[in-house]
């Protein structure tokens, strides 16, 4: 099972350990594309601060993020599972999983990123600010920048099992499963049951809880139909829509009344 996650806007501070080693990150086929984004981002942030803030879409209160980006090559690195914070990652709570579940997380979780393309939660990265919606002056829109390298690398990473896609739309634009891989992909939407609307907090927290439930229980569905049954067995209310034609993903709605 491969689980595709969005990153978080907020991130923990960089560590005090060794700095980033691009060549040590998972999915080495993305290294060249990562180097291109990293170089552009550092150069942008080392120049005109106001321009960098505008390009990155940062408010006045986040001005310090520009300076942080200038030090990406030298800042200490921590595992991505520690760097990413926020509602989804709080609900997932990787640190409190047992050893076996943490190993499963290292094998199955893939976090998409405007800067790194995609990383595993065990990859060591510095804290940064660069969303997938950014258009860097020398590279253009990052979603478009990542499509070709992702198309080369991700099908192999997906293996032969279930792909559980929990990404937001901006990050989903960087790689869309096609063909046979799409047929074993399930996208998940979390709806507030009384209103049947997507509510950000419900959506993120429930997705984190779903991943935690699967990891903690050692549940590894082989395909979307098995995932639906597994989630129902775990107590989730799931409505499933199988694809109407080959080469398209399953669409799952998880209905929640409230977050406890």
């Amino acid at each position: 099972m491969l689980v595709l996650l969005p990153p978080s806007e907020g991130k923990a501070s960089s560590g005090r350990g060794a700095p980033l080693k691009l060549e040590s990150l998972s999915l080495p086929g993305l290294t060249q594309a990562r180097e291109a984004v990293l170089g552009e981002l550092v150069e942008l942030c080392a120049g005109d601060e106001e321009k960098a803030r505008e390009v990155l879409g940062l408010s006045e209160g986040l001005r310090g993020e520009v300076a942080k980006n200038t030090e990406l090559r030298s800042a200490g690195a921590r595992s991505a599972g520690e760097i990413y914070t926020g509602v989804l990652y709080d609900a997932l709570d990787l640190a409190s999983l047992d050893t076996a579940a943490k190993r499963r997380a290292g094998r199955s979780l893939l976090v998409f990123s405007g800067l790194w393309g995609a990383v595993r939660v065990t990859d060591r990265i510095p804290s940064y600010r660069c969303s997938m919606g950014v258009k860097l002056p020398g590279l253009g829109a990052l979603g478009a920048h990542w499509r070709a390298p992702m198309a080369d690398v991700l099908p192999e990473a997906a293996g032969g099992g279930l792909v559980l896609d929990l990404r937001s739309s901006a990050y989903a634009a960087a790689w869309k499963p096609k063909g046979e891989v799409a047929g074993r992909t399930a996208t998940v939407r979390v709806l507030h049951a009384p209103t049947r609307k997507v509510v950000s907090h419900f959506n993120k927290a429930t997705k984190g809880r779903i991943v935690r439930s699967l990891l903690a229980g050692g549940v590894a569905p082989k395909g979307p139909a098995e995932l639906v049954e597994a989630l129902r067995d775990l107590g989730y209310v799931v409505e499933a829509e199988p694809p109407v034609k080959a080469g398209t993903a399953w669409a799952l709605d998880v209905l929640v009344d409230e977050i406890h």
Side-chain angles (χ1 to χ4, degrees), residues 154-172:
L154 266 293
E156 181 179 354
L162 169 71
V163 178
L164 175 53
D165 191 351
L166 303 178
R167 297 172 296 167
S168 55
S169 58
Y171 292 90

Side-chain angles (χ1 to χ4, degrees), residues 82-241:
E82 295 176 296
I83 288 290
Y84 294 115
T85 59
V87 175
L88 188 154
Y89 291 91
D90 286 347
L92 174 53
D93 195 9
L94 286 169
S96 69
L97 291 171
D98 64 32
T99 301
K102 286 179 180 176
R103 284 198 296 267
R104 289 190 283 272
R107 292 193 302 267
S108 62
L109 304 188
L110 202 60
V111 184
F112 275 61
S113 161
L115 175 52
W116 316 115
V119 292
R120 298 196 184 277
V121 292
T122 51
D123 285 331
R124 292 176 56 79
I125 58 174
S127 185
Y128 68 96
R129 196 76 176 214
C130 184
S131 71
M132 191 65 80
V134 164
K135 294 182 179 180
L136 290 175
L139 289 179
L142 290 180
H145 170 76
W146 285 112
R147 282 184 199 127
M150 290 284 196
D152 288 339
V153 171
L154 266 293
E156 181 179 354
L162 169 71
V163 178
L164 175 53
D165 191 351
L166 303 178
R167 297 172 296 167
S168 55
S169 58
Y171 292 90
W175 180 62
K176 182 178 180 180
K178 298 182 182 298
E180 179 268 336
V181 178
R184 48 187 168 85
T185 296
T187 62
V188 173
R189 184 174 62 164
V190 179
L191 301 181
H192 181 220
T195 63
R196 299 194 69 84
K197 293 181 179 180
V198 176
V199 180
S200 179
H201 182 86
F202 284 71
N203 183 53
K204 294 175 182 178
T206 303
K207 286 179 177 178
R209 290 171 186 266
I210 285 172
V211 177
R212 182 180 178 85
S213 296
L214 294 171
L215 293 173
V219 181
K222 295 181 179 180
E226 292 87 346
L227 173 65
V228 173
E229 294 307 314
L231 292 177
R232 288 172 177 165
D233 288 344
L234 289 167
Y236 294 95
V237 178
V238 182
E239 295 179 353
E241 184 178 333

Side-chain angles (χ1 to χ4, degrees), residues 25 36 42 47 53 149 235 238 248:
L25 298 180
V42 171
R53 196 159 64 86
V238 182
T248 55

